[in-house]
Amino acid sequence: MNTNRTPLLSCSKLAIGIEDRNLVRDLDVTVHRGTTTCILGRNGTGKTLTLHTLARLREAQGGSIALEGKPLADWPRVDFARQVALLTQDSEDPFPASVLETTLIGRHPHIGFWDWESERDRTLAREALASVDLTGFEARSAATLSGGERRRVALAALLVQDPVVLLLDEPTNHLDPRHQLEVLRLLQARTAAGGTVIMSLHDAGLAARFADQVLMLFGDGHWLCGPTDEILTAANVSRLYQAPVEELSWPGGRTFVTV
């Protein structure tokens, strides 16, 4: 975990909602370089809306967000895309494309308007595919991939974009247990190198293992945020998911199970 205490991303009195539902109220959160923040909550509590708001895909109902001390709206779009990238819950391929071509989309913020991808861009894309266990898939049509393989291609495109902040909406979605852990370890290595990860998860046990900070969204405006060891308790997880939960611990780890 990076010890630099200057906030990279900060939210002040942030309000997030949809239609007449106020899902998050007065959110005050700071995120530092070299850290992982996990967002936990039941379905419909605002996890995706929060990530989309941080990614400038939608307006907050109130409050402010700053990246490196500058309001998000003051960042030029291209500069912002070089700093922040979003992995959505589901990926779509509206046009036929190979796995390599799909991955190269992540290089667009770094390529001039009239320019084509360079050999360096292609090398970076191949390296990103290798990091998610997709070496040899470059020429495959993206439409022929399984859900888990497509998820890893989307992550490779995000990595090749090379942002400072990675916003990930359920990055382990569709992945088998082996690839879940490999992806989370890859993200962990990213933060160890100075990157920053903010991701939503449904598994509190994985959050306990990989997160420095946890943000719990309760869906009624209320929230909890703080260091993982302080926030991830059986009582808080039970309240969050509205189900009785017990914590199971072993040397080097812990998880939560419904009872």
Side-chain angles (χ1 to χ4, degrees), residues 77 110 131 169 172 189 195:
R77 284 287 180 181
H110 304 278
S131 74
D169 199 353
T172 58

Side-chain angles (χ1 to χ4, degrees), residues 45-117:
T45 55
K47 300 186 299 298
T48 294
L49 291 179
T50 297
L51 289 170
H52 285 193
T53 302
L54 296 178
R56 288 176 59 174
L57 294 185
R58 67 187 312 277
E59 294 289 333
Q61 292 183 330
S64 62
I65 308 170
L67 175 67
E68 294 186 334
K70 182 192 298 187
L72 292 196
D74 292 350
W75 281 85
R77 284 287 180 181
V78 172
D79 292 343
F80 186 77
R82 292 171 179 166
Q83 295 289 319
V84 179
L86 172 68
L87 178 71
T88 58
Q89 269 192 42
D90 297 298
S91 303
E92 295 183 0
D93 299 305
F95 304 105
S98 71
V99 167
L100 183 63
E101 290 167 338
T102 302
T103 306
L104 280 167
I105 292 172
R107 294 301 299 162
H108 286 184
H110 304 278
I111 299 172
F113 186 75
W114 295 108
D115 295 333
W116 292 93
E117 298 91 347

